[in-house]
């Protein structure tokens, strides 16, 4: 076959069915380029070959041999189609069996040289490999006998299919343009981009894989920095509505909150209002159709630990803008959170005469009352609704504001420039051609180490909430090894008896969404058995948004006592009556994430407890989890994550080509190099080109 081109459709690579094409599109794999940039989440080491005679039950192994017999048959009781084979090498032979995969018998007839990978089990006939990975033995193996790439999957796409398609796409890697000049590349000792892409999928060894990951990560950081630079320059040109702060309104909204703001909250409010009031000196305030546009767009990040009270700060800012006759968009990351935050803001702002809307795919309310989409759309367009709480979808073009002056982005985990780009589209262009932008407040609970604040958030001003609201005590955290599970169950019974609620969070499984579903469903069934009198809810990302919302609401209304969930709940679910959290397979999470999760409990009067459960009783796991148990300071944990993780460790969470790498987990040395290179590119004769930004 001819060498494919980057923009060619995946369907041209191989005869793939319509169904598979649709599923690949779900992974956003439409073209050859997409496949090349779909970096594996990890590699399995299937390099060392085992002699068949040396196979041991329970120990994963790779063997190389010849099929001596293979046949399909139906299992008698169940209508299951079995494929049975015997594979032999110089030392012995082993039985293999596959279920419902009759093609195996056709693809690997007797006499075929094969490589098998699997974990042997033993029954009365001896050792057996059940559903091993099988591949023809050849010079370049894809599935065994090497470092084997493991990709993030969606239902109905297999690792084997993906590996095969990627291998067909690889010859096109040479067509990838390299955004770095040879001079810089050689000086920085980086692979070429084409080599990096080849090696990131099918590396010869660990060193090659690390070098490939480093190069791609380097590109992502450089791209990010260049985009931030571009957006900063654009911002410096732009103007924004100058908000006249009504001091009486500030006092009224503070009075409407059910608590007194902490010193840190007061300080953040002051900084935000200061930003929005400031005028651009060279542009005198000029009254236009929308009022005074002589301001400078605020670009502020509100950084505060879970439970530090970011919502209240946002509420004061929103009230001031609404009171000035303008509109606010409050964006939450999930449907569940949107509905929850809308309820809180409605409760606080509606009594002040500020109309708050909730706008998600499934829930549309104005001041708590359900309305039709048409009514909602009209109310936002006319300006009757001042505060619109919604998912990120409300930045889409279809939603028209009459006078959007402030966008608040809650729980922003990544500092992608996408939302800012979307906001820029909402800019109005004034008579003299100056773009007028809404002010922007992003909020995150992820503590960003100071070292990184300086290097990457150069274009954002930062307000830190470093003071806990008084009522909040640290969550008592303990590590639970298998032998101590009873203790944990006992604690949960105690909390339930006291009328409190609990979360059970299940660890993420990275290679296959189906595994995650199985884990959470299993935990749900186990909880039902262990607590027959309790009402137990289930929440995971595969449920429909309405169902997710119903599960959340049931927990919020205390209709359920225990909520078994995946990390869907990570971002901001607030139930003050929840006092206990169990995190299963806790070792799969980083420190910062564990800290975020436990922040979901102990938000009310009673103190919170958290159990970090693990099935792996190993010293490293204990050390990892003990640190979280012993440290209550989220910033300290983030610094530790940063020190411990090199660029390789975080690669799995990053997707090449999108700004989604978690910068606070980045190796500072790599960051510094990338920053220097970005500076060189910007200052070079050719300057920043499209190749640098895409
Ligand atoms: P986060 O920063 O994680 O978004 P929230 O805004 O959800 O935190 O606040 C956490 C909890 O603390 C909420 O129940 C909120 O009502 C409460 N809270 C916020 N500020 C204060 C304060 N100054 N005093 C007492 N409680 C507060
Ligand atoms: Mg919050």
């Amino acid at each position: 076959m001819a060498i494919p081109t980057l923009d060619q459709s995946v369907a041209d690579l191989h005869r793939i069915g319509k169904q598979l094409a649709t599923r690949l599109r779900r992974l956003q794999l439409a073209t050859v380029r997409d496949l090349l940039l779909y970096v594996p989440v990890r590699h399995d080491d299937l390099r060392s070959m085992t002699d068949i005679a040396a196979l041991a039950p329970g120990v994963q192994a790779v063997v190389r041999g010849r099929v001596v017999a293979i046949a399909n048959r139906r299992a008698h009781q169940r209508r299951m189609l079995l494929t049975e084979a015997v594979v032999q090498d110089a030392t012995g032979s082993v039985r293999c069996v596959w279920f419902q995969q009759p093609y195996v018998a056709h693809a690997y007839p007797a006499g075929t040289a094969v490589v098998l990978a699997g974990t042997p089990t033993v029954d009365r006939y001896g050792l057996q490999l059940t559903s091993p990975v099988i591949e023809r033995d050849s010079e370049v193996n894809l599935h065994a006998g090497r470092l084997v790439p493991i990709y993030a999957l969606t239902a109905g796409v297999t690792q084997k299919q993906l590996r095969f398609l990627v291998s067909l796409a690889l010859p096109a890697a040479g067509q990838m343009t390299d955004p770095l000049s040879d001079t810089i590349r050689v000086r920085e000792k980086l692979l070429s981009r084409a080599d990096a892409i080849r090696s990131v999928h099918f590396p010869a060894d660990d060193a090659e894989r690390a070098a490939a990951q480093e190069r791609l990560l380097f590109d992502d950081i450089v791209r990010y920095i260049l985009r931030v630079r571009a957006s900063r320059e654009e911002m410096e040109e732009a103007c924004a509505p100058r908000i006249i702060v009504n001091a009486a309104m500030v006092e009224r909204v503070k009075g409407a909150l059910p608590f007194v703001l902490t010193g840190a909250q007061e300080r953040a409010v002051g900084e935000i209002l200061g930003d929005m009031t400031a005028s651009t000196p060279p542009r005198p305030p000029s009254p236009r159709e929308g009022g005074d546009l002589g301001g400078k767009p605020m670009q502020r990040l509100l950084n505060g630990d879970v439970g530090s009270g970011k919502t209240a700060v946002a509420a004061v800012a929103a009230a001031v803008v609404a009171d000035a006759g303008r509109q606010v968009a409050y964006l939450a990351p999930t449907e569940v959170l949107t509905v929850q935050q809308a309820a809180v803001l409605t409760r606080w702002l509606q009594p002040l005469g500020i109309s708050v809307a909730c706008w998600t795919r499934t829930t549309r309310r104005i001041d708590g009352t359900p309305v039709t989409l048409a009514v909602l759309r009209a109310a936002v367009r006319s300006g009757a609704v001042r505060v619109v709480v919604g998912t990120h979808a409300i930045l889409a073009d279809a939603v028209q504001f009459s006078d959007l002056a402030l966008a608040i982005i809650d729980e922003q985990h990544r500092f992608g420039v996408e939302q800012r780009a979307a906001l820029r589209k909402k800019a109005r262009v004034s008579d003299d051609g100056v773009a007028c932008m809404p002010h922007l407040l992003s909020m995150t609970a992820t503590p960003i180490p100071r070292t990184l604040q300086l290097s990457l958030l150069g274009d954002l001003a930062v307000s830190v909430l470093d003071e806990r609201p008084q009522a909040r005590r640290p969550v008592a955290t303990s590590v639970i090894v298998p032998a101590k599970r009873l203790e944990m169950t006992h604690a949960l019974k105690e909390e339930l008896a006291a009328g409190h609620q609990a979360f059970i969070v299940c660890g993420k499984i990275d290679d296959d969404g189906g595994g995650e579903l199985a884990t959470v469903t299993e935990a749900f069934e186990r909880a039902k058995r262990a607590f027959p009198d309790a009402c137990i809810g289930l929440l995971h990302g595969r449920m429909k948004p309405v169902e997710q919302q119903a599960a959340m609401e049931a927990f919020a209304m205390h209709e359920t006592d225990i909520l078994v969930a995946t990390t869907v709940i990570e971002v901001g679910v607030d139930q003050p009556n929840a006092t206990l959290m169990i995190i299963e397979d806790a070792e799969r999470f980083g420190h910062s994430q564990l800290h975020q999760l436990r922040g979901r409990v102990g938000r009310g009067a009673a103190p919170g407890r958290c159990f970090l459960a693990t099935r792996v009783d190993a010293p490293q796991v204990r050390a990892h989890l003990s640190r979280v148990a012993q440290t209550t300071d989220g910033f300290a944990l983030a610094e530790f994550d940063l020190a411990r993780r090199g660029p390789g460790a975080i690669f799995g969470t990053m997707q090449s080509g999108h700004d989604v790498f978690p910068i606070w987990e980045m190796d500072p040395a790599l960051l510094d190099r990338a920053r220097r290179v970005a500076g060189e590119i910007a200052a070079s004769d050719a300057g920043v080109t499209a190749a640098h930004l895409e």
Side-chain angles (χ1 to χ4, degrees):
M1 185 185 137
I3 293 178
T5 61
L6 292 172
D7 294 315
Q8 221 167 334
S9 152
V10 170
D12 294 346
L13 282 175
H14 191 69
R15 282 200 357 246
I16 60 174
K18 243 198 177 122
Q19 223 179 7
L20 182 58
T22 314
R23 288 169 184 160
L24 289 171
R25 251 197 311 280
R26 228 182 290 150
L27 297 172
Q28 294 178 353
L29 299 176
T31 65
V32 168
R33 182 196 315 273
D34 297 338
L35 275 175
L36 291 176
L37 291 175
Y38 199 64
V39 299
V41 289
R42 64 163 204 273
H43 288 82
D44 276 354
D45 189 350
L46 299 182
R47 276 177 297 189
S48 57
M49 296 288 174
T50 304
D51 287 342
I52 287 178
L55 287 176
V59 182
Q60 195 192 34
V62 184
V63 300
R64 170 176 272 153
R66 196 167 287 281
V67 178
V68 291
I70 191 161
N72 289 329
R73 73 174 174 89
R74 289 210 174 268
H76 19 275
Q77 313 104 325
R78 292 190 276 155
R79 288 222 222 84
M80 177 81 80
L81 193 66
L82 296 183
T83 305
E84 291 171 316
V86 175
V87 173
Q88 193 175 49
D89 71 2
T91 66
S93 63
V94 64
R95 285 179 304 123
C96 305
V97 59
W98 292 267
F99 303 99
Q100 307 286 41
Q101 297 182 49
Y103 67 87
V104 170
H106 306 297
Y108 308 95
T112 314
V114 294
V115 177
L116 297 168
T119 307
T121 51
V122 71
D123 63 13
R124 63 199 158 107
Y125 302 110
L127 279 183
Q128 171 177 302
L129 284 167
T130 307
S131 306
V133 172
I134 181 167
E135 176 179 31
R136 269 168 196 279
D137 190 12
S138 67
E139 301 230 324
V140 262
N141 284 326
L142 296 181
H143 309 294
R146 58 166 310 121
L147 285 175
V148 175
I150 306 291
Y151 298 95
L153 295 181
T154 185
V157 181
T158 66
Q159 296 289 357
K160 266 187 125 168
Q161 285 170 326
L162 214 48
R163 271 179 223 134
F164 179 62
L165 289 172
V166 168
S167 76
L168 295 180
L170 276 190
Q175 299 157 33
M176 285 275 184
T177 42
D178 199 316
L180 300 184
S181 70
D182 287 348
T183 328
I184 293 181
R185 196 169 60 70
V186 170
R187 188 195 67 206
E188 297 292 329
K189 299 193 174 62
L190 292 166
L191 293 183
S192 76
R193 192 161 164 83
D195 283 343
I197 282 170
R198 276 187 282 256
S199 301
V200 84
H201 294 285
F202 295 104
D205 52 36
D206 294 316
E208 192 177 305
R209 176 181 51 183
Q213 291 179 339
E214 182 187 41
R215 170 65 214 259
L216 296 183
L217 186 57
F218 194 87
D219 286 358
D220 277 5
I221 305 172
V222 169
R223 184 185 319 110
Y224 176 87
I225 295 174
L226 289 174
R227 283 203 201 161
V228 167
R229 243 174 202 271
S231 102
R232 177 166 56 217
E233 278 160 18
E234 205 168 333
M235 281 301 162
E236 275 160 8
E237 299 281 294
C239 68
R242 204 156 76 86
I243 304 297
I244 310 299
V245 177
N246 173 357
M249 180 43 111
V250 177
E251 290 317 308
R252 278 180 65 206
V253 59
K254 284 187 198 167
L257 299 175
F259 42 73
V260 178
L261 291 186
T262 63
Q265 285 171 319
E266 287 282 3
R267 188 156 18 90
V269 165
E271 287 162 352
I272 291 164
L273 298 186
D275 286 351
M276 294 195 296
T277 327
S279 62
T280 337
R283 292 180 56 81
S286 49
R288 283 205 202 91
E289 158 235 355
D292 181 1
L293 299 181
K296 232 175 110 54
M298 167 170 73
Q299 302 282 307
R300 186 168 285 277
L301 177 72
L302 181 59
N303 191 191
D305 208 349
V306 172
S308 60
K310 294 184 288 296
T311 316
V313 174
V316 177
V320 168
V321 171
D323 182 58
R326 296 173 182 276
Q327 284 176 305
V328 180
Y330 186 113
L331 310 184
T334 63
E335 298 254 341
V336 164
L337 268 179
T338 302
V339 175
Q340 199 169 49
Q341 294 298 70
V344 170
L345 292 173
T346 306
R347 191 159 70 233
W348 290 345
L349 301 185
Q350 196 198 354
L352 307 174
I354 297 170
S355 204
V356 179
C358 174
W359 188 328
T360 76
R361 258 188 309 147
T362 50
T363 310
R364 290 160 192 141
R365 295 178 188 155
I366 295 178
D367 294 333
T369 310
V371 293
T372 63
L373 181 60
V375 168
L376 182 54
R377 193 174 274 152
V380 172
R381 196 170 41 218
S382 74
V385 161
R386 289 288 161 77
V387 180
V388 184
V389 187
T391 48
H392 290 187
I394 66 166
L395 279 190
D397 297 318
V399 182
Q400 283 179 11
F401 289 85
S402 101
D403 188 8
L404 179 62
L406 170 64
I408 300 172
I409 305 182
D410 193 6
E411 302 289 359
Q412 182 165 19
H413 281 234
R414 328 255 185 211
F415 298 86
V417 271
E418 279 110 46
Q419 285 103 349
R420 278 191 259 174
L423 276 177
R424 220 168 291 139
K425 281 202 218 125
K426 297 261 170 241
R428 283 182 296 164
V429 178
S430 69
D431 321 336
D432 47 352
V434 179
C436 183
M437 298 274 306
H439 295 287
L440 177 66
L441 176 66
S442 340
M443 309 201 287
T444 182
T446 307
I448 301 164
R450 238 164 263 284
T451 38
L452 292 188
Q453 280 184 22
L454 290 177
S455 42
L456 266 189
L457 302 177
D459 62 332
L460 291 178
V462 182
S463 294
V464 179
L465 294 183
D466 50 7
E467 195 179 332
R468 259 167 203 280
Q470 229 141 53
R472 308 250 317 147
R473 267 159 295 178
V475 176
T477 306
S478 22
V479 181
I480 297 293
V481 292
K484 288 170 99 186
R485 283 190 78 89
L486 217 54
E487 217 170 278
M488 179 167 89
T489 313
H490 183 70
L492 181 47
K493 283 205 173 112
E494 249 172 41
E495 292 298 330
L496 293 181
H500 295 144
Q501 290 162 272
F503 293 104
I504 298 178
V505 181
C506 294
K508 200 170 174 61
I509 290 172
D510 56 14
D511 58 339
D512 166 2
E516 181 166 297
L517 187 64
T519 320
V520 73
T521 318
E522 215 176 87
F524 177 62
E525 295 301 330
R526 207 164 46 218
K528 278 205 292 203
R529 281 195 304 272
F531 307 99
D533 300 332
C535 206
I536 301 174
L538 177 65
L539 176 66
H540 57 76
R542 295 254 174 136
M543 288 160 51
K544 293 199 191 94
V546 247
E547 294 166 356
Q548 290 187 31
Q549 197 175 308
M552 264 323 304
E553 273 168 14
F555 193 69
M557 308 289 285
H558 199 164
E559 284 160 16
T560 47
D561 304 301
I562 302 177
L563 184 61
V564 181
T566 55
T567 46
V568 178
I569 67 137
E570 182 192 349
V571 278
V573 171
D574 197 15
Q575 166 52 286
N577 190 47
T579 52
L580 187 138
M581 169 166 293
I582 292 172
I583 304 176
E584 298 281 10
D585 300 319
E587 76 282 356
R588 294 171 195 239
F589 299 93
H591 290 119
S592 298
Q593 206 182 0
L594 290 172
H595 182 68
Q596 304 248 345
L597 282 168
R598 72 177 162 186
R600 300 290 138 226
V601 295
R603 303 188 132 219
R609 281 202 267 182
C610 174
F611 293 101
L612 307 176
T614 177
R615 288 179 274 193
V616 189
D617 198 355
Q620 312 91 292
V621 167
R622 252 179 223 255
H624 174 75
L625 297 180
S626 302
R627 190 175 304 267
V628 180
Q630 285 155 17
T631 317
T632 56
D633 178 355
F635 276 79
L637 288 171
E639 295 280 0
F640 188 77
D641 265 345
L642 183 69
R644 187 178 55 101
R645 298 182 165 209
I650 69 131
F651 205 76
T653 53
M654 174 203 132
Q655 279 176 16
S656 199
H658 308 280
D659 287 323
V660 294
F661 56 89
I663 56 171
W664 48 88
E665 292 178 351
M666 199 79 46
D667 171 12
L670 188 72
L671 210 58
D672 268 354
R673 284 166 63 202
R675 197 159 42 131
R676 209 176 49 236
V677 167
E680 283 174 53
I681 292 172
S684 68
D685 291 339
V688 180
T689 64
H692 293 119
L693 295 177
E694 72 195 11

